[in-house]
């Protein structure tokens, strides 16, 4: 079910529980700012989710209120994961869904990282 991009942060959302270790995940990266793990329902040969450790619901929320070190840490983590997974060549796609029209399902900021095959046009028509 899609969720709104705005509203109070829900500490019981699935990614908050993954961060706390209450739900298992296949982690490929973690540091002080971010955690990356395989999506449970992959849409490409590589489909990894990168999430900040902080309690942020959407990109706009994060951009407006997170500290500069946290923003830099998260953005750098996304780039490092793409690099570490060997995706800079032949390429990869980043996607961040926010709110109802984008069909965001989990109300914790996350960036999808897709790769491992030619990904085709940007959006389904
Ligand atoms: P959204 O639509 O919010 O951008 O994407 C949420 C993503 O989280 C989906 O691709 C979905 O497959 C993934 N997901 C949902 N629940 C879990 C889970 O428990 N573990 C993992 N690893 N991924 C999940």
């Amino acid at each position: 079910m899609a969720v709104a991009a705005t509203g109070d942060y829900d500490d019981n959302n699935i990614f908050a529980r993954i961060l706390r270790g209450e739900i298992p995940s296949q982690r490929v990266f973690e540091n002080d700012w971010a955690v990356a793990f395989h999506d449970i329902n992959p849409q490409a040969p590589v489909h990894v989710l990168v999430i900040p450790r902080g309690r942020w619901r959407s990109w706009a929320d994060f951009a407006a209120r997170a500290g500069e070190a946290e923003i830099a840490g998260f953005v750098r983590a996304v780039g490092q994961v793409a690099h570490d997974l060997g995706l800079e060549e032949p390429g990869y796609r980043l996607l961040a869904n926010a709110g109802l029209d984008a069909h965001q399902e989990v109300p914790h900021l996350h960036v999808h990282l897709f790769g491992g095959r030619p990904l085709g046009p940007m959006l389904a028509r």
Side-chain angles (χ1 to χ4, degrees):
M1 192 182 72
V3 296
T6 57
D8 292 339
Y9 183 82
D10 171 11
D11 281 301
N12 285 319
N13 79 74
I14 208 108
F15 293 168
R17 300 184 66 199
I18 283 176
L19 280 170
R20 292 196 295 267
E22 295 168 8
I23 293 176
S25 63
Q26 282 184 272
R27 295 187 183 200
V28 298
F29 173 91
E30 58 185 307
N31 69 8
D32 287 349
W33 303 112
V35 174
F37 51 90
H38 289 285
D39 195 290
I40 203 169
N41 182 24
Q43 305 296 310
V46 178
H47 184 176
V48 164
L49 300 167
V50 191
I51 69 175
R53 286 194 186 270
R55 300 166 72 256
W56 306 108
R57 197 173 165 117
S58 74
W59 195 278
D61 183 24
F62 179 68
R65 284 182 277 279
E68 292 185 9
E70 185 173 14
I71 291 171
F74 178 61
V75 172
R76 288 201 169 102
V78 174
Q80 188 172 340
V81 171
H83 175 268
D84 291 352
L85 292 173
L87 293 173
E88 286 182 288
E89 295 291 343
Y92 58 93
R93 178 170 294 154
L94 302 177
L95 177 78
N97 294 317
L100 296 171
D101 274 4
H103 212 271
Q104 180 181 5
E105 291 185 346
V106 180
H108 181 111
L109 172 61
H110 50 283
V111 171
H112 296 257
L113 193 160
F114 301 102
R117 66 166 166 78
L119 294 165
M122 190 164 67
L123 293 173
R125 294 181 192 281

